[in-house]
Amino acid sequence: MAGLKDKLNDKIQQHRPRIQKLVKDYGDVVVDKVTIGQIIGGMRGLKSLVTDISYLDPKMPFVEGLFYLLLTGDIPTENEVSDVVDEFRRRRIVPRYIYEVIDAFPCCSHPMTIFSSAILTMHRESFFAKKYTAGINKMDMWEPMYEDSLNLLAKLPEIASYIYAKLYRDGKRMQSNPNLDMGADFAHLMMKPAPYDDVARLHFIIHSDHESGNVSAHAGHLVGSTLADIYMSISAMINGLAGPLHGLANQEVLRWLQDVRDKMGDEIPTEAEMKQFVWDTLNAGHVIPGYGHAVLRKTDPRYSIQRDFCLKHLPNDPLFKYVDMLYKVVPPILKEQGKAKNPWPNLDAQTGVLQWHYGVTEYDFYTVLFGIGRSIGIAANLIWDRALLYPLERPKSITTDMLEKIAGIK
Ligand code: HAX
């Protein structure tokens, strides 16, 4: 068993009794109450999920090191990171039929549709599915989930960059460079020089994990709870990410900004003009993409990390100037409008500017980049879901009639 897998095994053996004790001895302890507002309002804030895989503050390490940290909770040594980098390298080769699946998509297909389908198609590779059919002991299920996770994660940069080449470049396949870590290899596959390697590392790391209640994480967990394999679960996660109120917001931010830019004929708007664009959007009944959050009530730390990177590397980029101005203009307007509970920017408000600056201007592709990063966090969650034998998710629904009776209306 490789170093990471050994360590993970130790951690799982230590953690399992904690869950067993909680369920056996404290199973009836009340954690939260549920209001009618929460039931109708998309379960916002309802404490009904558990995850110990958490968000971290990155200093541009290798993505593989982050995966180690998410799985074990321990900061890896350089050697331990190298071991994981090697593990990923060994698993990078993408099956030929995946290229054929991508080639077969009709023109104008959204890259997220292609990405999700390519991942789902690899279900036939699933080690977990084969072991399950053969009758694996449930205590051992995390192991094939771990193997499948590494196999899938290692291939995502090549799959994503081929989708990019197919849709927006010459359609030619680039070969992975086996001497590079995941972030640098992605930059190589995208044919982008440094510092795009750091941009890729930063991007994948900050998009990886964000508790388990957000739509993509929850979709991955929900599908995984049926004992579906990693390919089915991550494909479902990608579909959740593809909605404009979630991951697609980073594409929407750029679309919105380009609209402003077109109207301005490439001039930087004054603050008064920008305020007017924001109000026009709100008055047309649309949201300001990249602002607001279902849980956070302050500037998203992932926004701030990207902003710091922009201030250091591209302070004079015209699009960054737009985004910088929006940071001043939007929160007071959302406060004045009085609807959004969080008037501050989320991570999607900054992502596109970085990509645009380094030459990835096809903003339909941005959520695929998000998807690579998010897969790392969801895979870590799913391995632990199996290790701790979390059951099938099956909440109970009730009718409007029942709610009216509970409320005392009927
Ligand atoms: N612009 C305008 N109105 C907004 C708003 C925004 N950015 N954010 C929230 N509101 C509105 C809501 O539409 C809602 O209006 P109604 O009462 O008319 O329905 C009201 O304010 C209350 O919403 P909320 O409780 O503050 O927010 P929710 O938890 O319901 O939704 C969202 C959270 C992220 C979906 C929301 O803030 C939004 O639509 N933001 C813009 C899209 C976006 O940036 N999404 C990405 C979020 C981060 C993420 O998941 N990234 O992947």
Side-chain angles (χ1 to χ4, degrees):
M1 215 185 264
L4 172 59
K5 202 167 170 186
D6 260 342
K7 180 133 186 189
L8 181 59
N9 189 25
D10 289 348
K11 297 269 173 183
I12 289 170
Q13 303 316 324
Q14 285 163 28
H15 202 101
R16 274 182 177 161
R18 291 173 63 193
I19 298 291
Q20 281 155 3
K21 187 177 172 62
L22 281 170
V23 172
K24 187 165 165 281
D25 301 338
Y26 301 91
D28 293 331
V29 173
V30 175
V31 176
D32 209 349
K33 65 179 182 354
V34 187
T35 64
I36 289 177
Q38 284 174 312
I39 291 176
I40 296 177
M43 299 190 285
R44 216 49 106 256
L46 184 65
K47 295 191 190 80
S48 56
L49 293 164
V50 56
T51 177
D52 295 297
I53 315 286
S54 55
Y55 177 74
L56 81 157
D57 188 9
K59 288 176 189 65
M60 217 71 82
F62 281 3
V63 177
E64 292 88 338
L66 166 91
F67 185 60
Y68 186 106
L69 176 58
L70 288 179
L71 272 185
T72 64
D74 294 340
I75 298 197
T77 61
E78 267 184 45
N79 281 343
E80 286 166 337
V81 175
S82 296
D83 285 349
V84 186
V85 170
D86 281 345
E87 281 282 342
F88 273 56
R89 274 184 198 139
R90 288 198 295 107
R91 299 166 191 251
R92 274 186 197 172
I93 308 283
V94 175
R96 190 191 165 91
Y97 62 82
I98 293 301
Y99 293 101
E100 290 164 3
V101 165
I102 295 171
D103 288 344
F105 265 82
C107 83
C108 308
S109 299
H110 194 279
M112 283 296 270
T113 315
I114 309 177
F115 194 43
S116 170
S117 307
I119 292 168
L120 186 60
T121 307
M122 277 196 294
H123 162 70
R124 70 195 285 282
E125 308 294 325
S126 173
F127 194 40
F128 177 84
K130 288 184 188 87
K131 288 270 184 185
Y132 186 82
T133 309
I136 190 174
N137 186 314
K138 64 180 181 179
M139 301 304 274
D140 300 329
M141 280 185 184
W142 69 269
E143 272 197 65
M145 204 67 176
Y146 169 93
E147 296 295 340
D148 281 351
S149 294
L150 267 77
N151 284 339
L152 174 62
L153 294 177
K155 294 175 181 54
L156 293 181
E158 203 166 314
I159 295 172
S161 63
Y162 182 63
I163 294 171
Y164 183 83
K166 191 81 199 159
L167 294 183
Y168 314 113
R169 233 172 35 207
D170 54 6
K172 291 207 177 103
R173 263 172 74 175
M174 289 280 292
Q175 295 290 337
S176 254
N177 180 338
N179 300 316
L180 300 175
D181 67 284
M182 189 181 190
D185 192 39
F186 186 68
H188 154 76
L189 291 163
M190 293 290 287
M191 303 171 78
K192 301 287 174 211
Y196 193 77
D197 51 349
D198 263 351
V199 173
R201 292 183 190 114
L202 172 73
H203 186 94
F204 297 153
I205 287 169
I206 63 174
H207 286 80
S208 63
D209 202 55
H210 195 51
E211 284 189 1
S212 68
N214 65 79
V215 171
S216 52
H218 192 185
H221 169 79
L222 178 65
V223 172
S225 83
T226 67
L227 298 186
D229 61 58
I230 198 82
Y231 301 98
M232 292 183 162
S233 309
I234 296 286
S235 173
M237 174 286 272
I238 293 288
N239 297 342
L241 197 64
L245 293 187
H246 190 20
L248 205 80
N250 59 20
Q251 160 182 330
E252 292 301 290
V253 169
L254 253 287
R255 206 160 61 86
W256 191 87
L257 284 173
Q258 290 307 321
D259 190 37
V260 175
R261 212 169 159 174
D262 287 349
K263 285 181 184 139
M264 288 303 300
D266 268 358
E267 294 291 311
I268 304 283
T270 62
E271 266 191 44
E273 284 167 329
M274 193 60 113
K275 280 182 186 162
Q276 196 53 51
F277 284 124
V278 173
W279 274 118
D280 288 348
T281 303
L282 292 174
N283 292 336
H286 303 145
V287 294
I288 307 298
Y291 280 76
H293 199 275
V295 178
L296 290 175
R297 294 295 175 256
K298 59 176 190 170
T299 298
D300 190 328
R302 301 166 301 171
Y303 173 95
S304 305
I305 289 165
Q306 294 182 98
R307 179 179 161 79
D308 290 348
F309 191 96
C310 290
L311 284 168
K312 189 166 164 203
H313 295 280
L314 45 124
N316 297 318
D317 181 281
L319 217 52
F320 176 62
K321 290 199 166 145
Y322 275 52
V323 168
D324 191 39
M325 189 185 289
L326 282 174
Y327 193 25
K328 292 192 192 95
V329 162
V330 174
I333 293 181
L334 285 179
K335 280 185 198 164
E336 188 182 331
Q337 193 206 29
K339 280 169 68 174
K341 293 191 191 70
N342 177 39
W344 302 105
N346 57 62
L347 88 167
D348 295 316
Q350 275 285 350
T351 307
V353 176
L354 270 169
Q355 294 299 328
W356 188 279
H357 181 82
Y358 291 106
V360 184
T361 53
E362 300 81 3
Y363 46 75
D364 282 11
F365 190 68
Y366 293 171
T367 318
V368 173
L369 299 173
F370 192 154
I372 300 175
R374 185 52 53 100
S375 298
I376 295 163
I378 306 304
N381 271 283
L382 285 164
I383 294 166
W384 271 97
D385 285 355
R386 286 286 181 283
L388 299 178
L389 310 175
Y390 286 148
L392 177 82
E393 188 177 321
R394 204 331 185 161
K396 181 94 184 86
S397 58
I398 51 177
T399 64
T400 308
D401 238 22
M402 289 170 172
L403 280 180
E404 285 168 344
K405 280 190 188 122
I406 292 167
I409 301 169
K410 279 198 171 174

